[in-house]
């Protein structure tokens, strides 16, 4: 068999390997994700010791990133045990810290929780896009084919929610500025399509379509959110998102739209048919971003009253989870492929809850040190660059290595070196304090 034939056979096997996934329970996804909360809780107390100042980036990588890597690979089946163990360490350090100092925080570092939340989302995204190509990454955490919930399904929606969170506009931006923010994403989307087709890179067409990807979805999401704010600047975004999601869900269920979007039939002469997943799911992603926009309004307009913010986010989280549970009890399922109503509610409920968790950890600390890890601050500042570099690195690794057949040791070695570069060495080099 020639090299071309071997690559074609591997490409076919790889595409079949990532297809047909069913996911896992929302509760277990929450447990895996809770690693981030307990890691941050542990970091808050470890950073108060003098040894932390010697190598802050090394400590950040070890405490904040390594546990998440383990939770998504070799310890994925023991997520509850990992979270419990880290929680014990966090509580132990918290008790030692309480004896050490009782100095209250001055609040000189406002909204560090947003940086931590967005940086953790970027770290998880960077890790999963390569880890999913190795067998060490459990298939139940990979994207579901049509129905179900998984960690990677949640990542896509969380990215959208995060964008809505920081998209609140107090003044109208110019159309030229909007174009400058939108065009790079659309260009990146087009470039990715060309590179994938030219290199015959393994692709899962049912995710977004033949000529569509997440860059294009995000590129169209930006003007959509901006237009909604221009049209209804004082609208209750959560209500708008819920109503729009109900309408979108109704169209998916009570018209042929839903069945058409998940069918395997494509008309090669129709661009719409070839990219039906991307077009069908776009309204759902807009709804997720609107939920994020609603939370952003709460945080940025009432940030001085912490209790009010806590109460507002708690009410939203409880309402979203309650609504989601009711729909699940009715037998409905979530679908990232269509971004249906259950998927929208799930992504919104998760992100509101975890954002509140990071907020409470920051507001509950008992010292005056910065609540933002230096590594996360750099990752958040250069998130687009790191995301592009990680996509390029993922492509290079997959072109050079038969990742699907890698052993546990080989898989973890590649993933550790990759994360060390993407979330360790590169951010350290980009840091203002770097030599």
């Amino acid at each position: 068999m020639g090299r071309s034939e071997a690559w074609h056979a591997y490409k076919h096997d790889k595409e079949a390997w990532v297809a047909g996934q069913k996911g896992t329970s929302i509760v277990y996804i929450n447990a895996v994700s809770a690693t981030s909360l307990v890691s941050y809780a542990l970091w808050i107390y470890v950073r108060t010791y003098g040894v932390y100042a010697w190598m802050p980036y090394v400590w950040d990588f070890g405490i904040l990133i390594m546990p998440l890597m383990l939770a998504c690979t070799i310890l994925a089946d023991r997520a509850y045990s990992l979270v419990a163990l880290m929680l014990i360490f966090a509580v132990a350090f918290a008790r030692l810290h309480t004896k050490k100092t009782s100095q209250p925080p001055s609040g000189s570092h406002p909204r560090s929780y947003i940086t931590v939340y967005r940086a953790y989302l970027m770290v998880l995204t960077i890790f999963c896009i390569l880890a999913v190509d190795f067998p060490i990454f459990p298939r139940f955490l990979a994207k579901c084919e049509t129905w179900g919930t998984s960690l990677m399904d949640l990542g896509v929606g969380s990215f959208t929610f995060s964008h809505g969170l920081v998209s609140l506009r107090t003044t109208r931006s110019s159309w030229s500025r909007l174009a400058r923010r939108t065009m790079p994403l659309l260009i990146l989307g087009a470039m990715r399509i060309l590179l994938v087709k030219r290199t015959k890179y393994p692709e899962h067409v049912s995710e977004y379509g033949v000529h569509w990807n997440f860059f294009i979805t995000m590129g169209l999401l930006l003007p959509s959110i901006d237009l909604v704010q221009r049209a209804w600047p004082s609208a209750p975004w959560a209500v708008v998102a819920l109503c729009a999601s109900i309408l979108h869900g109704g169209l998916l269920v009570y018209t042929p739209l839903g069945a058409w979007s998940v069918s395997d039939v494509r008309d090669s002469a129709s661009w719409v048919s070839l990219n039906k997943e991307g077009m069908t799911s776009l309204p759902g992603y807009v709804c997720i971003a609107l939920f994020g926009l609603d939370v952003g309004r709460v945080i940025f307009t009432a940030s001085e009253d912490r209790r009010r913010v806590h109460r507002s986010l708690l009410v939203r989280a409880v309402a979203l989870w309650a609504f989601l549970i009711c729909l699940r009890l009715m037998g409905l399922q979530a679908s990232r492929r269509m971004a249906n109503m259950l998927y929208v509610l799930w992504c919104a409920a998760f992100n509101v809850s975890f954002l509140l968790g990071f907020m409470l950890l920051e507001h509950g600390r008992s010292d005056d040190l910065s609540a933002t890890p230096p590594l996360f601050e750099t990752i958040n500042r250069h998130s687009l660059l790191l995301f592009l570099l990680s996509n390029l690195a993922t492509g290079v690794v997959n072109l050079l290595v038969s990742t699907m057949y890698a052993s546990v040791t080989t898989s973890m070695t590649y993933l550790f070196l990759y994360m060390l570069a993407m979330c360790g060495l590169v951010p350290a080099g980009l840091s203002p304090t770097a030599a």
Side-chain angles (χ1 to χ4, degrees):
M1 182 184 293
R3 185 175 180 180
S4 177
E5 290 80 4
W7 173 253
H8 180 75
Y10 175 76
K11 178 177 181 291
H12 179 270
D13 292 343
K14 186 71 171 289
E15 290 172 350
W17 184 55
V18 299
Q21 307 305 323
K22 303 296 184 182
T24 186
S25 70
I26 290 177
V27 174
Y28 202 78
I29 295 169
N30 288 344
V32 172
S33 304
T35 309
S36 61
L37 287 172
V38 292
S39 294
Y40 181 56
L42 178 60
W43 176 89
I44 284 177
Y45 297 108
V46 170
R47 85 198 197 289
T48 62
Y49 291 84
V51 68
Y52 175 83
W54 298 350
M55 298 178 295
Y57 273 66
V58 174
W59 284 102
D60 288 357
F61 188 86
I63 296 175
L64 300 170
I65 294 180
M66 284 297 294
L68 198 61
M69 293 173 58
L70 296 175
C72 295
T73 51
I74 57 178
L75 296 182
D77 292 324
R78 298 175 177 85
Y80 296 118
S81 300
L82 177 61
V83 171
L85 179 62
M86 294 195 65
L87 187 59
I88 291 172
F89 277 105
V91 171
F93 273 97
R95 291 181 65 86
L96 291 173
H97 180 75
T98 301
K99 295 178 180 179
K100 179 181 175 183
T101 178
S102 59
Q103 182 182 14
S106 68
S108 58
H109 309 282
R111 294 194 286 270
S112 294
Y113 55 87
I114 296 180
T115 300
V116 175
Y117 158 76
R118 286 169 59 82
Y120 251 127
L121 176 58
M122 181 56 63
V123 167
L124 186 62
T125 301
I126 289 174
F127 179 70
C128 287
I129 60 175
L130 178 60
V132 70
D133 295 316
F134 288 92
I136 192 65
F137 189 86
R139 294 301 94 190
F140 62 78
L141 295 182
K143 289 179 181 177
C144 299
E145 184 68 22
T146 302
W147 305 101
T149 54
S150 74
L151 182 66
M152 291 195 71
D153 288 328
L154 179 65
V156 177
S158 298
F159 217 94
T160 307
F161 182 95
S162 173
H163 170 73
L165 178 69
V166 295
S167 293
L168 186 66
R169 297 284 178 264
T170 55
T171 59
R172 287 193 176 187
S173 58
S174 65
W175 292 109
S176 60
R177 181 182 178 186
L178 179 61
R180 287 196 301 270
R181 294 172 59 221
T182 302
M183 290 307 298
L185 290 170
L186 296 177
I187 292 172
L188 288 171
M191 290 176 61
R192 189 182 191 283
I193 292 170
L194 290 175
L195 288 173
V196 167
K197 303 301 181 185
R198 291 282 294 178
T199 60
K200 300 186 184 303
Y201 189 82
E203 57 179 328
H204 196 189
V205 174
S206 65
E207 280 191 41
Y208 296 103
V210 178
H211 310 111
W212 199 291
N213 52 54
F214 190 61
F215 285 111
I216 295 177
T217 295
M218 291 300 294
L220 296 176
L221 191 68
L222 284 169
S224 299
I225 297 300
D226 192 83
L227 288 173
V228 171
Q229 291 191 75
R230 288 172 183 267
W232 302 289
S234 301
W237 302 122
V239 176
V240 173
L242 183 60
C243 293
S245 185
I246 292 173
L247 177 60
H248 180 232
L251 292 174
L252 291 173
V253 173
Y254 298 109
T255 71
L257 180 63
W260 171 74
S261 66
V262 299
S263 69
D264 295 327
V265 178
R266 298 179 190 274
D267 182 359
S268 58
S270 171
W271 187 89
V272 173
S273 179
L274 290 174
N275 302 283
K276 54 187 178 180
E277 291 88 353
M279 299 186 68
T280 304
S281 62
L282 183 59
Y285 287 119
V286 172
C287 292
I288 296 174
L290 287 176
F291 275 116
L293 190 66
D294 173 71
V295 172
R297 173 184 283 169
V298 172
I299 290 174
F300 292 109
T301 60
S303 57
E304 299 301 322
D305 188 346
R306 288 183 173 182
R307 290 188 177 182
R308 178 184 172 189
V309 175
H310 296 168
R311 185 168 56 251
S312 296
L313 295 192
L314 180 61
V315 168
R316 283 164 170 78
V318 171
L320 287 166
W321 282 118
F323 202 177
L324 176 65
I325 292 172
C326 288
L327 294 179
R328 285 291 293 125
L329 292 175
M330 294 170 59
L332 302 179
Q333 296 186 68
S335 172
R336 172 203 47 81
R337 189 172 175 180
M338 294 185 288
N340 65 353
M341 185 177 179
L342 249 77
Y343 177 74
V344 171
L345 291 174
W346 172 43
C347 291
F350 173 90
N351 282 276
V352 173
S353 302
F354 272 68
L355 183 62
L356 176 60
F358 287 122
M359 182 187 298
L360 292 174
L361 286 173
E362 179 193 336
H363 291 170
R365 74 193 196 281
S366 58
D367 56 67
D368 194 35
L369 300 174
S370 172
T372 306
L375 179 59
F376 276 11
E377 191 169 351
T378 306
I379 288 175
N380 198 55
R381 187 182 301 117
H382 303 285
S383 58
L384 180 58
L385 174 61
L386 292 172
F387 185 59
L388 293 177
L389 289 176
S390 63
N391 271 271
L392 289 174
T394 296
V396 170
V397 171
N398 274 281
L399 289 173
L400 298 178
V401 180
S402 297
T403 56
M404 188 171 63
Y405 306 126
S407 65
V408 172
T409 302
T410 302
S411 299
M412 291 305 297
T413 300
Y414 273 110
L415 291 174
F416 175 78
L417 293 175
Y418 163 78
M419 290 300 288
L420 184 62
M422 294 298 107
C423 296
L425 299 179
V426 173
L430 294 171
S431 173
T433 59

